[in-house]
Amino acid sequence: MLTNQDRLKQCFQKTQYKIGGNGARNVGVLQEALSKVDSLTESDMYGSGSLIEDFEAKFARLLGKEAAVFFPSGTMAQQIALRIWSDRANNRNVAYHPLAHLEIHEQDGLKKLHQMKTFLLGEEDRLLNLADIKALPEPVAAILIELPQREIGGKLPSFAELKEISAYCREKHIALHLDGARLFEVLPYYQKSAAEVAELFDSVYLSFYKGIGGIAGAILAGTADFCTEAEIWKRRYGGDLISLYPYILSADYYFEKRMPKMAQYFTKSRELAKRWNGTEKVTTQPEIPVSNMFHVYFEGASEAVSDILADLMDECDLGITGYLLEKDAGSCSFELSIGDATLEVDPKRMERFF
Amino acid sequence: MLTNQDRLKQCFQKTQYKIGGNGARNVGVLQEALSKVDSLTESDMYGSGSLIEDFEAKFARLLGKEAAVFFPSGTMAQQIALRIWSDRANNRNVAYHPLAHLEIHEQDGLKKLHQMKTFLLGEEDRLLNLADIKALPEPVAAILIELPQREIGGKLPSFAELKEISAYCREKHIALHLDGARLFEVLPYYQKSAAEVAELFDSVYLSFYKGIGGIAGAILAGTADFCTEAEIWKRRYGGDLISLYPYILSADYYFEKRMPKMAQYFTKSRELAKRWNGTEKVTTQPEIPVSNMFHVYFEGASEAVSDILADLMDECDLGITGYLLEKDAGSCSFELSIGDATLEVDPKRMERFF
């Protein structure tokens, strides 16, 4: 028997147009990225070679940091960043938001592999703030801040507040690490360069398969000695692959393709959130997006909402979502990220759906 | 000023034909593997999806194990295997050869990430044996055996001795893990299937960029519950990438292409070793290869030998090696692995070189 959620997923997959994302994650994405690459281009070799070194230098420059290291994943990069700060402070305490990726999506890797003690700053449904940091019961080696805070719809502190947090951490000798999985996506809101945001942090992680739409991979940037240590840990983790070029070439290709469109995604995101909020029994979090993403909330249980959405998706041939998360008090939600797929939908089709 | 070793490397890179390997590690290797793949083929998603699951099932079958997990690297896969066995035995002791990959190439990841205590079995210049295992000063949770033992030229115990070691470990409740980075490469010598070798071990790791010549990636196989645990650790390590398909598709492509040629590589390896051993001041380790690989030793310091080799490579347009390792007692050596590139060299060119 097909559940309503199964049907929702099937209907979503069947639709030709999608309201979110950068298109299907299929092998064509990699084939496109490689199609113009000279087949004689030499592979990187265990972190060496111009293919990886030039890419790392490019992102070090972009972030205004001395150096950068390419990692297969952000999970690996961020655990390592926190471990390095922890070793330097000789303190196993670190702090982050209760819904940080490290706390909810990594099977406790940080604790199991590094015996780290984590302090959760603030509450699940809001951003962490300076008062939360000041209220920490023990000294911490490092604090991780995610911009935007994805699990609550992609919210952001003001740039002024970020500066205050950064100044406080510097004063207290707490290393400040940026989970910038979606850093490019918030630059149009802050009206800052990546380097201006990164300047407030001691280490910065970037992802290439969120708004950029690459295959996988991450950058970790900081001082030269920080990155030298990070490379040693990358080897320890088994992340220093003989060849990372499939991820590097595609990251670079899609970065060049989509970085110039971040402002467009942001504008479209605000436009679409407004449209959702003007629909009965629907709201978004945040109400006015500060990046290319937001969460859509429906009044009603997921069973009932699934049915309505599935019918509408079928009728309009427009994929909205393949899942709904049950929330408290008879509501349900899904996450929407604006990308190339969104821009390609005919506005008439979108309007028909709404 | 160009050193003799620099010149050797340059001369090697310049040659059109190579005596070892499967050809240059360039982007064309991936482009070839992807050229026949339907661009609509869906990516794996964090370890799920038919692309990764079918591949894992294929190698579980091949190895006669209940399950298998694809990993981005063997470093990650093997540390995790030893950690699982260690947890099950509630014992942080493990043992392996003094030149095991984990001991010399992983920046002590096993010790730094898992607080493991390692015992080195036997001596650097020979294979470990049952007597070494019996002489262990403390109980160990697991023993890792590499087939063939790469750092000593690719040597192998007899299959009978392996069976004895396996029986002893089972009797003593010591988990036996196979570092099978080059497992396919030894099957022609043992005249056994992969499953017949794997049967002697509780867990098995395979690599796809040695004799197979893929881009990167590894398989870890064992019981279903072992693999379920391994997947949790893979997530903890940051190895559970959203998309591993660039490695999986190329591993599968080159496995199908080169697995049938392993016997040819082995025959050619013996033939070439004989030719080297018939050359003045040259010997190989082992003298008679048991896989597609061996080490070539020259009498004389690397400075002098580099010069002679560089001249010969230039003259014959045949790449022999790009480096020489200085050994004790005025000798030097390099590693030779037989692959497609070897088979493609005109025998006359080879003969001219010798």
Side-chain angles (χ1 to χ4, degrees):
Chain A
M1 255 283 294
L2 212 63
T3 67
N4 290 21
Q5 288 263 9
D6 290 341
R7 190 183 153 228
L8 185 71
K9 190 175 172 185
Q10 283 186 4
C11 285
F12 177 73
Q13 285 169 339
K14 251 184 13 207
T15 53
Q16 194 184 341
Y17 302 95
K18 311 280 187 221
I19 198 176
N22 285 310
R25 288 189 63 88
N26 57 35
V27 177
V29 176
L30 180 57
Q31 287 166 329
E32 179 186 331
L34 296 178
S35 64
K36 300 272 165 58
V37 179
D38 180 352
S39 65
L40 298 179
T41 305
E42 272 184 56
S43 172
D44 51 311
M45 282 290 279
Y46 299 113
S48 296
S50 60
L51 195 151
I52 188 166
E53 288 168 17
D54 292 353
F55 184 83
E56 290 172 338
K58 173 177 175 172
F59 282 87
R61 274 196 307 279
L62 187 90
L63 292 165
K65 299 291 184 198
E66 279 177 23
V69 184
F70 185 80
F71 274 87
S73 75
T75 295
M76 194 184 290
Q78 296 206 105
Q79 287 179 18
I80 286 172
L82 294 184
R83 170 64 187 257
I84 294 171
W85 295 129
S86 161
D87 280 351
R88 292 194 179 185
N90 196 23
N91 176 353
R92 280 284 179 272
N93 293 347
V94 295
Y96 46 53
H97 190 272
L99 298 181
H101 195 273
L102 293 99
E103 191 65 17
I104 64 173
H105 290 308
E106 302 181 9
Q107 292 277 0
D108 276 343
L110 188 71
K111 296 165 199 172
K112 299 274 183 185
L113 291 166
H114 303 284
Q115 297 74 52
M116 220 74 102
K117 185 171 168 191
T118 58
F119 291 83
L120 304 181
L121 291 164
E123 287 149 284
E124 288 200 355
D125 58 356
R126 65 163 175 86
L127 290 169
L128 67 87
N129 59 40
L130 185 55
D132 298 320
I133 294 173
K134 288 183 173 169
L136 275 167
E138 291 179 30
V140 297
I143 288 174
L144 174 149
I145 293 183
E146 184 185 350
L147 302 180
Q149 193 70 49
R150 184 245 179 132
E151 299 288 341
I152 51 174
K155 291 183 184 171
L156 279 181
S158 71
F159 199 73
E161 192 181 348
L162 261 191
K163 280 170 78 171
E164 269 188 278
I165 290 174
S166 172
Y168 177 82
C169 288
R170 276 177 192 169
E171 187 197 319
K172 299 291 181 189
H173 302 290
I174 300 169
L176 194 59
H177 171 79
L178 171 57
D179 178 342
R182 295 165 182 79
L183 174 62
F184 305 127
E185 292 86 323
V186 305
L187 301 179
Y189 170 74
Y190 277 144
Q191 291 286 300
K192 301 284 178 193
S193 69
E196 284 170 314
V197 179
E199 202 282 320
L200 306 179
F201 295 84
D202 299 295
S203 53
V204 176
Y205 142 69
L206 296 180
S207 172
F208 294 103
Y209 67 93
K210 311 300 189 306
I212 299 296
I215 313 295
I219 273 285
L220 180 63
T223 60
D225 60 342
F226 174 88
C227 288
T228 301
E229 267 190 79
E231 280 177 338
I232 294 172
W233 280 106
K234 177 176 153 186
R235 168 61 62 113
R236 289 181 179 140
Y237 264 69
D240 189 19
L241 305 193
I242 184 170
S243 297
L244 283 165
Y245 72 79
Y247 299 132
I248 296 170
L249 291 171
S250 47
D252 204 32
Y253 176 83
Y254 289 107
F255 173 79
E256 292 301 334
K257 181 172 174 176
R258 298 207 171 106
M259 185 62 189
K261 292 176 162 178
M262 288 295 161
Q264 255 181 291
Y265 301 152
F266 173 53
T267 306
K268 192 75 182 177
S269 165
R270 291 203 149 177
E271 182 191 316
L272 274 182
K274 201 170 170 187
R275 200 69 193 76
W276 280 112
N277 284 305
T279 306
E280 220 180 319
K281 295 185 178 180
V282 185
T283 51
T284 70
Q285 275 291 349
E287 190 189 338
I288 301 171
V290 290
S291 72
N292 74 324
M293 74 170 288
F294 54 88
H295 289 177
V296 179
Y297 281 76
F298 299 95
E299 275 180 42
S302 64
E303 284 285 286
V305 178
S306 290
D307 249 6
I308 299 168
L309 274 181
D311 288 345
L312 280 171
M313 291 198 291
D314 247 2
E315 199 184 313
C316 307
D317 195 12
L318 181 63
I320 304 296
T321 181
Y323 71 93
L324 283 170
L325 295 179
E326 203 74 50
K327 295 279 169 174
D328 301 337
S331 74
C332 56
S333 77
F334 73 95
E335 179 174 289
L336 190 57
S337 293
I338 306 313
D340 281 358
T342 320
L343 303 184
E344 280 157 21
V345 177
D346 181 343
K348 280 183 207 148
R349 185 182 302 274
M350 200 87 91
E351 220 25 67
R352 194 170 153 225
F353 166 79
F354 281 110
Chain B
M1 257 282 295
L2 214 61
T3 67
N4 289 20
Q5 288 264 8
D6 289 342
R7 192 185 151 226
L8 185 71
K9 190 174 172 186
Q10 282 186 4
C11 285
F12 178 73
Q13 285 169 340
K14 250 183 15 206
T15 53
Q16 193 183 343
Y17 301 94
K18 311 281 187 217
I19 199 177
N22 284 310
R25 288 189 63 87
N26 58 34
V27 176
V29 175
L30 180 58
Q31 286 167 329
E32 179 186 333
L34 296 179
S35 64
K36 300 273 164 56
V37 180
D38 180 353
S39 64
L40 297 179
T41 306
E42 271 183 57
S43 172
D44 51 312
M45 282 289 281
Y46 299 112
S48 297
S50 60
L51 194 151
I52 188 165
E53 288 168 16
D54 292 352
F55 184 83
E56 289 171 339
K58 172 176 175 172
F59 282 87
R61 275 196 307 278
L62 186 91
L63 292 165
K65 298 293 183 197
E66 280 176 23
V69 184
F70 185 80
F71 274 88
S73 77
T75 295
M76 195 185 290
Q78 297 205 106
Q79 287 179 18
I80 286 172
L82 294 184
R83 169 63 187 256
I84 294 171
W85 295 129
S86 162
D87 280 351
R88 291 195 179 184
N90 197 22
N91 176 352
R92 280 283 177 274
N93 294 347
V94 296
Y96 46 53
H97 191 272
L99 298 181
H101 196 274
L102 294 99
E103 191 65 16
I104 64 173
H105 290 308
E106 302 182 8
Q107 292 276 2
D108 276 342
L110 188 71
K111 296 166 200 172
K112 299 275 184 185
L113 291 167
H114 302 285
Q115 298 74 52
M116 219 74 101
K117 185 171 168 190
T118 58
F119 292 84
L120 304 181
L121 291 165
E123 287 149 285
E124 288 200 357
D125 58 357
R126 64 164 174 86
L127 290 169
L128 66 87
N129 59 40
L130 185 54
D132 299 321
I133 295 173
K134 287 182 173 169
L136 275 166
E138 293 179 29
V140 298
I143 288 173
L144 174 148
I145 293 183
E146 184 184 350
L147 299 180
Q149 193 69 47
R150 183 248 179 129
E151 299 288 342
I152 51 175
K155 293 184 183 168
L156 279 181
S158 71
F159 199 72
E161 192 181 347
L162 260 192
K163 280 169 78 171
E164 270 188 275
I165 290 174
S166 172
Y168 177 81
C169 287
R170 277 177 191 168
E171 187 196 320
K172 299 290 181 190
H173 303 290
I174 300 168
L176 195 58
H177 171 79
L178 171 57
D179 177 341
R182 295 166 181 79
L183 174 62
F184 305 126
E185 292 85 323
V186 304
L187 301 179
Y189 170 75
Y190 276 144
Q191 291 285 303
K192 301 284 178 194
S193 69
E196 284 170 315
V197 180
E199 202 281 322
L200 305 179
F201 295 85
D202 300 294
S203 53
V204 176
Y205 141 69
L206 296 179
S207 173
F208 293 103
Y209 67 93
K210 312 301 188 305
I212 298 296
I215 314 294
I219 273 285
L220 180 64
T223 60
D225 59 343
F226 173 89
C227 288
T228 301
E229 267 189 79
E231 281 177 336
I232 294 171
W233 280 106
K234 177 176 153 187
R235 168 60 62 113
R236 287 179 181 143
Y237 264 70
D240 188 20
L241 305 194
I242 184 170
S243 296
L244 283 165
Y245 72 79
Y247 300 131
I248 296 170
L249 291 171
S250 48
D252 204 32
Y253 175 83
Y254 289 107
F255 174 79
E256 291 302 333
K257 180 171 176 176
R258 300 207 171 106
M259 184 63 189
K261 293 176 164 178
M262 288 295 162
Q264 254 180 292
Y265 301 153
F266 173 53
T267 306
K268 192 76 184 174
S269 165
R270 290 203 152 178
E271 183 190 317
L272 274 182
K274 201 171 171 188
R275 201 66 193 78
W276 280 110
N277 284 305
T279 306
E280 219 179 319
K281 297 187 178 178
V282 185
T283 51
T284 70
Q285 275 291 347
E287 190 190 337
I288 301 171
V290 291
S291 72
N292 74 325
M293 73 170 288
F294 54 89
H295 288 178
V296 180
Y297 282 75
F298 300 96
E299 275 179 43
S302 63
E303 285 284 287
V305 178
S306 290
D307 249 6
I308 299 168
L309 274 181
D311 288 346
L312 281 170
M313 290 199 291
D314 247 3
E315 199 184 314
C316 307
D317 195 12
L318 180 62
I320 302 297
T321 180
Y323 71 94
L324 282 170
L325 294 178
E326 203 73 50
K327 296 277 168 177
D328 301 337
S331 74
C332 55
S333 77
F334 73 95
E335 180 173 289
L336 191 57
S337 292
I338 308 311
D340 281 357
T342 321
L343 303 183
E344 280 157 21
V345 177
D346 181 344
K348 280 184 209 149
R349 185 183 300 276
M350 200 86 90
E351 220 26 65
R352 194 167 153 226
F353 167 78
F354 281 110

